[in-house]
């Protein structure tokens, strides 16, 4: 029952209240909007935009997680070890492209909408997942690996029963990083007509309406904080269950 | 029966094991001794194929191990390593049940076996079964490691410096327990150690390795009293060598007719124990009694001192 817990509950309650009935918050935001301009964003349902934003991020996260973890497993196997440096530099290269550049390149290829955003999010999420999974797979003590072999596990059994459980906390840490940056990056997807909360921020910027900007940015920040919190809690649980 | 035939293992230019042949009889315990880098662990690991030899072969019960899939071979051979090597994320129960689960034993059979082993090793199943390795002391971890190695009822147990990480008191207890366990289960044991005392205590025979070569094999008494090379001599040489030698013999070997005064010594006592008793009580001889207390003769200080001397060539 500490301060952090209370703050978290308060944040969840405010987000829920704002999404259910945005007009309650109108007095608070009134002073930020220009004279005579609307205070609450009404061009789309905010709850729906939030759901789309989260859905897009989650879909991308699932794809990056799958690719990142499979890649990390592959390059730690005897047959894949020589691809380790190559895959490292590829994943790093993915991270060095600014998301806007990825969007710009993806639009001519797949058109406007959610798809280019999804591509950028996936490419962006792979590196943190991959690097953390790699670190996690290296976390199993050498003696435990030898014991797994000596007990008669096949390579696949050793991976499933020893290496992956011990890597889980690190993999979750990677997912957390990817999720936070994904929530943020999805915002700019609205520049290429993906339906995300970025729409609210951009509308505010275009019409010089600070109230819109605060609504959009506030929601995005709150989502990032809550997702990070939830994943951090899972990470701690996993580290407790699978100590090294 | 295990036969190691002309086995070599090379890493690049260096030979970790060079042309070693050894036989270990059914139910026998062989201790492989050597300093670090002698190739003793490498040799041990060729038996369950954790290491693949460069030349030569290992035959277990008439079967060349290179013809058996490694994971199947290892499910039949117990393996204990230094520091136990328990899976840190699994409880003692789960650790011990590893190989039976791989062999798809029925759940009740697994449970019964784990409980039996924990009890045999002096750990209460209800208390220790649910504990994670970090909740166990070093000695307890080691016992769980031994239980895990024995879980699938192997007839052969390989031990790589099993007690190396334990402090001396726990170590001595672990050695006594292992000797009892072995007698009870009729195990064939191959044990690697750098400690000559441990080798003498646990091995029916000792094989001494140095720089990948097998220098000498024989009973502990043979190794102590007649080291074949200067390297072996260096390994066994120390101020207390006579006492180590005496610790290997029993009073039975030196009983002679006669009578003596004072407290008797048991016929099953070690020569070292008998010598200690005589020195302490300032006597030249002590009566020897059997297990039922019957008088069998005497043992003399003179014979005991001779037994601790370097054998005449």
């Amino acid at each position: 029952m500490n301060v952090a817990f209370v703050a978290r509950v308060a944040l969840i309650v405010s987000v829920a209240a704002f999404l259910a009935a945005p007009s309650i918050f109108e007095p608070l935001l009134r002073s930020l909007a220009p004279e005579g301009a609307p205070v609450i964003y009404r061009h789309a349902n905010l709850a729906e935009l939030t759901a789309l934003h989260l859905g897009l991020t989650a879909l991308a996260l699932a794809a990056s997680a799958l690719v990142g973890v499979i890649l990390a497993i592959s390059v730690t196997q005897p047959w894949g070890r020589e691809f380790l440096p190559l895959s490292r530099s590829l994943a790093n290269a993915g991270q060095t492209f600014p998301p806007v550049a990825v969007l710009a390149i993806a639009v001519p290829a797949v058109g406007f909408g959610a798809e280019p955003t999804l591509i950028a999010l996936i490419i962006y999420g792979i590196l943190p997942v991959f690097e953390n999974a790699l670190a996690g797979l290296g976390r199993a003590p050498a003696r435990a690996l030898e014991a797994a072999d000596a007990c008669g596990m096949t390579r696949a059994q050793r991976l499933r029963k020893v290496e992956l459980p011990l890597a889980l906390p690190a993999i979750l840490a990677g997912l957390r990083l990817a999720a936070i940056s994904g929530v943020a990056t999805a915002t700019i997807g609205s520049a290429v007509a993906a339906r995300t909360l970025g729409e609210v921020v951009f509308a505010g910027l275009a019409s010089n309406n600070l109230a819109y900007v605060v609504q959009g940015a506030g929601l995005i920040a709150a989502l990032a904080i809550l997702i990070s919190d939830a994943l951090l809690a899972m990470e701690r649980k996993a580290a407790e269950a699978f100590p090294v | 029966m295990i036969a190691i035939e002309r086995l070599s293992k090379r890493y690049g230019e260096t030979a970790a094991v060079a042309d070693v042949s050894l036989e270990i009889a059914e139910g026998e315990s062989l201790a492989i001794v050597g300093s670090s880098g002698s190739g003793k662990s490498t040799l041990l690991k060729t038996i369950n194929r954790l290491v693949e030899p460069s030349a030569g072969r290992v035959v277990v019960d008439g079967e060349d191990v290179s013809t058996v899939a490694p994971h199947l071979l290892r499910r039949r051979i117990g393996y204990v390593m230094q520091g136990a090597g328990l899976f840190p994320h699994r409880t003692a129960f789960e650790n011990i049940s590893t190989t039976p689960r791989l062999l798809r034993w029925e759940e009740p059979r697994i449970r019964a076996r784990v409980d039996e082993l924990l009890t045999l090793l002096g750990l209460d199943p209800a208390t220790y079964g649910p504990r994670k390795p970090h909740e166990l002391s070093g000695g307890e971890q080691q016992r769980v490691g031994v239980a895990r190695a024995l879980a699938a009822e192997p007839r052969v147990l390989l031990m790589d410096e099993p007690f190396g990480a334990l402090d001396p008191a726990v170590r001595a207890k672990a050695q006594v327990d292992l000797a009892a366990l072995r007698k009870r289960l009729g195990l064939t044991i191959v044990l690697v150690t750098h400690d000559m005392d441990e080798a003498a205590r646990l091995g029916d025979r000792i094989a001494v390795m140095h720089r990948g070569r097998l220098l000498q094999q024989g009973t502990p008494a043979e190794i102590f009293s007649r080291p074949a090379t200067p390297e072996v001599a260096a390994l066994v040489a120390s101020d207390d060598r006579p006492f180590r030698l005496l610790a290997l013999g029993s009073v039975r070997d030196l009983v002679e007719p006669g009578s003596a005064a004072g407290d008797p010594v048991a016929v099953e006592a070690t020569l070292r124990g008998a010598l200690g008793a005589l020195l302490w009580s300032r006597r030249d001889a002590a009566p020897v009694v059997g297990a039922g207390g019957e008088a069998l003769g005497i043992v003399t200080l003179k014979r005991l001192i001779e037994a601790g001397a370097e054998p005449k060539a």
Side-chain angles (χ1 to χ4, degrees):
Chain A
M1 232 12 105
N2 49 26
V3 182
F5 181 77
V6 173
R8 217 163 288 158
V9 172
L11 188 59
I12 293 173
V13 171
S14 343
V15 168
F18 182 71
L19 291 179
S23 14
I24 307 174
F25 290 76
E26 203 169 326
L28 266 176
L29 296 164
R30 160 80 49 213
S31 62
L32 297 173
E35 271 306 310
V39 176
I40 302 296
Y41 188 76
R42 301 260 180 223
H43 300 286
N45 184 320
L46 283 172
E48 193 195 335
L49 277 184
T50 306
L52 287 169
H53 192 114
L54 281 179
L56 192 65
T57 311
L59 194 62
L61 187 64
S64 337
L66 202 66
V67 175
V69 171
I70 289 177
L71 199 61
I73 291 173
S74 310
V75 297
T76 48
Q77 301 306 303
W79 44 265
R81 217 170 285 272
E82 48 186 308
F83 296 105
L84 179 58
L86 176 69
S87 53
R88 264 220 159 104
S89 36
L90 273 179
N92 270 309
Q95 195 80 354
T96 52
F97 278 114
V100 176
V102 179
L103 286 178
I105 295 169
V107 168
V110 296
F112 283 91
E115 289 87 352
T117 313
L118 200 58
I119 292 173
L121 285 177
I122 293 172
I123 291 178
Y124 245 63
I126 290 176
L127 179 77
V129 175
F130 172 70
E131 283 289 348
N132 277 278
L134 211 54
L137 288 170
R139 185 168 165 258
R143 280 188 208 290
L145 296 182
E146 187 177 54
D149 290 339
C151 283
M153 289 189 194
T154 61
R155 276 209 83 89
Q157 285 167 334
R158 186 176 100 176
L159 184 67
R160 203 173 69 236
K161 292 165 185 261
V162 181
E163 290 171 274
L164 280 177
L166 290 175
L168 190 62
I171 291 175
L172 286 173
L175 284 181
R176 183 166 52 86
L177 295 176
I180 297 168
S181 83
V183 167
T185 310
T187 310
I188 58 161
S190 54
V192 293
R195 307 230 27 227
T196 72
L197 286 169
E199 196 177 312
V200 184
V201 177
F202 284 122
L205 290 174
S207 62
N208 205 14
N209 187 337
L210 195 55
Y212 282 5
V213 176
V214 169
Q215 281 163 55
L219 272 176
I220 294 162
L223 291 181
I225 291 170
L226 291 174
I227 290 172
S228 163
D229 249 18
L231 281 166
L232 198 61
M234 278 168 71
E235 211 176 304
R236 293 220 178 98
K237 269 235 146 61
E240 217 168 274
F242 305 126
V244 170
Chain B
M1 220 236 354
I2 303 169
I4 295 170
E5 298 173 359
R6 305 212 58 177
L7 192 128
S8 295
K9 175 64 183 180
R10 273 180 294 279
Y11 291 105
E13 289 293 293
T14 42
V17 177
D19 199 17
V20 170
S21 296
L22 263 177
E23 286 198 356
I24 301 115
E26 180 89 48
E28 189 189 25
S29 156
L30 176 80
I32 305 175
V33 188
S35 48
S36 59
S38 61
K40 56 190 192 301
S41 284
T42 307
L43 182 67
L44 181 81
K45 289 176 186 176
T46 60
I47 299 174
N48 65 352
R49 293 188 67 186
L50 286 174
V51 169
E52 299 290 350
S54 311
R57 60 175 198 160
V58 177
V59 179
V60 176
D61 290 331
E63 193 175 29
D64 183 341
V65 296
S66 67
T67 62
V68 188
H71 64 281
L72 298 178
L73 176 76
R74 292 173 194 147
R75 290 174 192 177
R76 308 198 306 235
I77 297 178
Y79 184 76
V80 181
M81 65 180 91
Q82 184 173 11
L86 299 180
F87 303 123
H89 58 301
R90 296 183 157 205
T91 63
F93 182 93
E94 290 163 343
N95 263 286
I96 297 171
S97 61
T98 304
T99 309
R101 269 187 218 292
L102 295 173
L103 291 167
R104 301 191 186 288
W105 284 16
E106 302 281 332
E107 200 55 37
R109 186 176 171 207
I110 293 177
R111 183 152 286 281
R113 179 64 177 162
V114 175
D115 285 0
E116 180 193 353
L117 283 167
L118 279 171
T119 310
L120 196 61
L121 288 157
L123 298 172
D124 175 41
T127 311
Y128 288 93
R131 291 206 186 161
K132 291 267 178 77
H134 66 91
E135 298 168 309
L136 301 170
S137 72
E140 287 161 358
Q141 287 187 22
Q142 194 56 40
R143 276 183 272 172
V144 172
V146 172
R148 181 176 65 184
L150 293 174
E153 300 173 350
R155 286 158 58 219
V156 174
L157 188 61
L158 308 180
M159 309 183 92
D160 189 3
E161 300 261 5
F163 308 130
L166 304 181
D167 62 62
V170 180
R171 189 176 182 151
K173 169 90 166 65
Q175 289 169 346
V176 172
D177 289 349
L178 177 65
L181 202 63
R182 182 190 149 213
K183 214 168 248 172
R184 185 167 165 160
L185 302 177
L187 293 165
T188 304
I189 294 181
V190 185
L191 173 130
V192 158
T193 175
H194 62 266
D195 176 354
M196 194 47 103
D197 277 330
E198 180 165 281
R201 218 165 287 151
L202 297 174
D204 299 330
R205 277 191 309 133
I206 294 176
V208 183
M209 285 189 68
H210 182 71
R211 295 197 178 162
R213 301 204 164 270
L214 176 64
L215 297 181
Q216 187 177 6
Q217 51 173 317
T219 64
E222 282 165 11
I223 303 276
F224 278 112
S225 55
R226 291 193 177 80
T229 73
E231 290 86 3
V232 183
L235 266 175
V236 300
S238 68
D239 294 346
D240 61 352
R241 175 161 44 173
F243 304 107
R244 290 177 172 189
L245 197 52
L246 287 170
L248 295 168
S250 102
V251 171
R252 184 182 299 284
D253 308 331
L254 295 187
V255 180
E256 50 193 297
S259 64
D263 290 336
V265 297
V267 71
E268 297 300 344
T270 65
L271 295 177
R272 180 179 169 148
L275 178 64
L278 287 182
L279 286 176
W280 192 251
S281 58
R282 301 170 199 270
R283 284 180 292 168
D284 293 326
V288 177
V289 295
E294 69 279 17
L296 296 173
I298 59 166
V299 60
T300 64
L301 191 60
K302 187 162 172 288
R303 296 283 308 270
L304 285 169
I305 290 172
E306 270 169 26
E310 185 179 5
K312 296 187 182 93

